[in-house]
Amino acid sequence: MSTLARARCTLGAHPLALDAALASAVLLCMVAGSFVDPHGPEGVTWGLRTPDVLSLVLMAVGAAALVFRRRAPLVVLAVTGCVSVVESVTGDPRAPVVMSTVVALYTVAASTDRPTTWRAGLLTMTVLTGAAMLAGPLPWYAQENLAVFAWTGIGASAGDAVRSRRAFVQAIRDRAEKAERTREEEARRRVAEERLRIARDLHDVVAHHIALVNVQAGVAAHVMDKRPDQAKEALAHVRAASRSALDELRATVGLLRQSGDPKAPTEPAPGLDRLDELVATFHHAGLHVEVARADQGTDLPAAVDLAAYRIIQEALTNVQKHAGTRAKAEVSVVRVGPDIEVTVLDDGAGGDDAPGVPGTPGAPAETGADGGGHGLLGMRERVAAVGGTLTTGPRYGGGFRVHAILPVRHRTDAAEDPV
């Protein structure tokens, strides 16, 4: 760091010392200027005349006031303005006491707002110029009187320009900091959304297949001794369900490993075209499911198609887990205007094998006493992500109802489609 830079940093850290140095420099300039005789026989000349005592006192007072220009800029302007008025009226030849007023007016303009600068500047210029013209020893049209007007105007303009530049630079810094904070918040939001998406996918894949494996394993254990053929069939279903779970987990992990491809799919592949396969897995587990569809010919966006599939999968898994194999479930997929409605009902028949909450047969885990599941929450998040609505709740007379209204066209697809 250079000597000049170190000195600047030192003075910047001690503003009072900087103002004292500035006041000393202004005093030196005013004293030096007082030796100039603007009315000599040959024009402006330098002489060895001694300034009046009053002029020296006024210069000292004006320079001393500048030491406090940052703390009380308007007060300092008033003090320096008063000593300048006195010098304009009494000084002959006039000493440049007005220099202290110019510095004080610059400080006011640089540290306050523009309306204050206009008011203070106009008042200062009017008072000083008027006093010099009307009460001074020189004719009103003297160049010194016009110089007072010009120098005070320059001080106010320079201070206002400095203040405007500082405000502009600060605004740029604020915008840059805000943009940086916005980018960080957006990055955190995307990370949180991705974590939720991964959690939903893993929950849907694992919960469904593990529930089926649990049911079939229980059946196999129950009939192993008396009906070995049925036990083998149940174990075959366990193997198929576990293999399907591994395939979906492998597909999900594969998608997570993709990077640098903005067009890469961000959701696993299942959709309503695999609804029959999904229902078949529940049939093999002993759950009676009836399907009614009135959506033929409807081409759904990938996100909406996946959401509908996962909603049906999670709802039937809840029926399997909490209503038992004696329950009956109904699945309907209907196209209604611009939306597709997905409904899953169960009768809550329950039984000894239904670990549901007493009094609310068929209720999913999220409605139970422990409240530790995430199935309904995941369904709501999926539906909200595609701009749909979800309603869930017990049915009158027993059982549970899941009803989702999904837009046929996802909002992102609609926004990208030109009108």
Side-chain angles (χ1 to χ4, degrees), residues 84-140:
S84 297
V85 169
V86 174
E87 177 64 20
S88 298
V89 174
T90 61
D92 188 19
R94 186 182 304 161
V97 180
V98 73
M99 185 181 298
S100 62
T101 306
V102 173
V103 176
L105 184 57
Y106 165 86
T107 304
V108 171
S111 59
T112 59
D113 53 13
R114 181 160 293 174
T116 302
T117 300
W118 275 97
R119 289 192 293 267
L122 290 176
L123 180 61
T124 302
M125 287 188 291
T126 301
V127 171
L128 293 184
T129 306
M133 287 183 175
L134 301 178
L138 300 177
W140 67 271

Side-chain angles (χ1 to χ4, degrees), residues 389-410:
T389 59
L390 176 73
T391 56
T392 60
R395 299 175 61 193
Y396 178 77
F400 204 78
R401 177 177 181 267
V402 176
H403 179 69
I405 301 178
L406 307 174
V408 173
R409 301 181 65 191
H410 189 262

Side-chain angles (χ1 to χ4, degrees), residues 170-212:
Q170 186 61 38
I172 292 178
R173 291 177 179 173
D174 292 342
R175 285 197 295 269
E177 292 176 358
K178 182 178 180 180
E180 184 66 21
R181 289 194 301 269
T182 301
R183 285 194 295 269
E184 293 176 357
E185 292 173 357
E186 179 67 15
R188 287 194 295 268
R189 184 186 65 82
R190 290 185 178 182
V191 169
E193 290 180 352
E194 185 65 10
R195 291 178 61 185
L196 287 176
R197 185 186 70 82
I198 295 171
R200 285 197 305 267
D201 290 338
L202 293 178
H203 174 274
D204 291 340
V205 171
V206 174
H208 165 63
H209 292 290
I210 295 303
L212 295 181

